[in-house]
Amino acid sequence: MEKEKPYRCEVCGKRYKNLNGLKYHRQHSNPCNPENRLNPMNVPGAPANLQGPNVNVAGAGLGGMGDGVLF
């Protein structure tokens, strides 16, 4: 099997035929990517409304429709 899939993830041990497969796995797998593990938005079971300090909320601070404010 090592000849068929020579690229192995050091964290979880999964094997891949191509280096690109391993790179994709490292970037997108929460348990294997340290950046994803430290991000509270990716924690399983975390509340859906949990917002980090750099959240961009569309329309934040703008008046609602029909409140008489014209832009």
Side-chain angles (χ1 to χ4, degrees):
M1 177 131 101
E2 288 182 18
K3 291 182 181 180
E4 293 176 18
K5 298 181 179 181
Y7 301 99
R8 185 177 73 86
C9 176
E10 300 83 23
V11 178
C12 69
K14 288 186 179 181
R15 302 187 78 88
Y16 295 88
K17 288 183 186 179
N18 302 311
L19 182 57
N20 285 339
L22 177 59
K23 288 180 181 179
Y24 182 89
H25 166 75
R26 286 181 184 161
Q27 291 175 350
H28 295 90
S29 175
N30 287 341
C32 298
N33 185 339
E35 290 179 17
N36 287 346
R37 281 187 285 182
L38 297 176
N39 185 348
M41 296 301 292
N42 293 326
V43 175
N49 64 352
L50 181 65
Q51 295 182 355
N54 296 324
V55 173
N56 182 9
V57 180
L62 298 177
M65 292 180 61
D67 62 359
V69 178
L70 299 175
F71 293 98

